[in-house]
Amino acid sequence: SQQGEEDPQALSIQEGENATMNCSYKTSINNLQWYRQNSGRGLVHLILIRSNEREKHSGRLRVTLDTSKKSSSLLITASRAADTASYFCATDKGSNYQLIWGAGTKLIIKP
Amino acid sequence: EPEVTQTPSHQVTQMGQEVILRCVPISNHLYFYWYRQILGQKVEFLVSFYNNEISEKSEIFDDQFSVERPDGSNFTLKIRSTKLEDSAMYFCASTAQTGELFFGEGSRLTVL
């Protein structure tokens, strides 16, 4: 089954605004992670939230997890042009740390 | 900061040729992975490797694919007879059981 579906598929905002991306998944998870990918580059880990956590912060990033709704959100506050990238959620079912990925949200920050 | 390194960054090959993609995971990590990403599409799991053997593999990872850790540092992905649809970005990743995966910059494979 499809796991980790992000929405929106694309998001374009002005620099300084907040960006919110959502992720839904279908099966139970051990943790959920968010990664960033600049165009043509590798995947960079941003934040990991465990299934028993509801909210986590890291700098300008805030992640929430609602296991009852099987959904997560990533909020980037005070966006910068350098935040322009694709953002992926990935779920870990607890099997060899294998991740299942969503299709990603392409975020464009306009200066 | 330790990082996962991958070579080559880009390889162009003819259909039917064998390709070997190389990765050097972070030295104290125990779990190793290959993922691929077809241009513009989602990241797909290929295989996980632990304790010198495959721990899990996806449907994509058929008999044409193999992995090896020949010398305790390198982790290779071999595609025996490439097909056009193997064209993708291949990512190697490793983890130290924290759950956080560290990815290399990827190897872009173009099959003509």
Side-chain angles (χ1 to χ4, degrees), chain A residues 46-79:
Chain A
L46 295 176
I47 199 162
L48 181 155
I49 186 165
R50 302 198 184 281
S51 59
N52 61 352
E53 297 175 309
R54 292 296 166 259
E55 189 170 312
K56 206 158 180 183
H57 297 254
S58 176
R60 292 183 296 113
L61 305 181
R62 173 178 166 252
V63 167
T64 62
L65 179 65
D66 186 335
T67 52
S68 66
K69 294 181 180 175
K70 292 187 168 59
S71 67
S72 172
S73 68
L74 170 67
L75 168 68
I76 303 174
T77 60
S79 62

Side-chain angles (χ1 to χ4, degrees), chain B residues 57 60-66 80:
Chain B
K57 60 183 180 179
I60 302 167
F61 196 88
D62 61 21
D63 292 344
Q64 292 302 310
F65 290 86
S66 62
R80 286 191 188 78

Side-chain angles (χ1 to χ4, degrees), chain A residues 6 17 24 38 40 48 63 80 95 97 102 105:
Chain A
E6 291 94 332
E17 294 179 342
S24 61
N38 286 47
L48 181 155
V63 167
R80 303 168 183 168
S95 171
Y97 306 103
T105 293

Side-chain angles (χ1 to χ4, degrees), chain B residues 79-108:
Chain B
I79 309 174
R80 286 191 188 78
S81 178
T82 50
K83 304 187 283 279
L84 294 175
E85 54 265 38
D86 293 329
S87 294
M89 194 77 149
Y90 288 81
F91 292 104
C92 173
S94 65
T95 186
Q97 295 185 275
T98 61
E100 172 189 346
L101 266 60
F102 290 79
F103 284 83
E105 288 291 327
S107 294
R108 181 174 298 283

